[in-house]
Amino acid sequence: DRRLSQLQTRRRLFVEALEDRCLMVADLGVYNGHTYLLLDENLTVEQHAAVAAAYGGYLLSINDVAEQAFIQNHFERSN
C-alpha cells in the first residue's frame, strides 16, 4: 500500500533527523494513523514541544482507552 510506505518512510526520516541531533528516540509504532515516538531526553515540556513542532508533530494527548492500551503495552513490553 502506497500510503503505508509513505508513512514508514516519513517515520524513518523523522527518527534519523532526531538521531542526527543526538537525541535518543524510540519508535513506538503507529496507532490510528499517528506515529508515536519517545524522546529519551532530559528536556522541559516546552523543549519537547518545540522539538516535536519542528518536525510537524506535537506532544501526546491520550484520547481513548484503546490509545492508552497501545502506549501502556509498549512500556510493558520494554520492561
Side-chain angles (χ1 to χ4, degrees):
D1 176 67
R2 185 170 188 229
R3 186 170 183 263
L4 178 59
S5 178
Q6 289 174 335
L7 179 61
Q8 290 171 333
T9 298
R10 200 168 102 212
R11 282 175 51 207
R12 182 180 48 78
L13 292 173
F14 185 62
V15 170
E16 288 174 2
L18 290 171
E19 290 173 340
D20 285 347
R21 291 185 59 192
C22 298
L23 296 173
M24 298 296 296
V25 61
D27 186 349
L28 305 184
V30 175
Y31 172 79
N32 199 23
H34 297 274
T35 298
Y36 290 75
L37 302 173
L38 173 67
L39 291 180
D40 187 18
E41 295 292 327
N42 189 19
L43 302 174
T44 66
V45 171
E46 292 80 11
Q47 290 168 322
H48 276 288
V51 169
Y55 292 96
Y58 48 88
L59 299 182
L60 173 67
S61 175
I62 296 174
N63 296 301
D64 58 48
V65 174
E67 185 177 22
Q68 171 67 35
F70 168 80
I71 298 298
Q72 190 170 355
N73 287 337
H74 170 76
F75 286 105
E76 288 174 356
R77 282 193 316 266
S78 62
N79 286 329

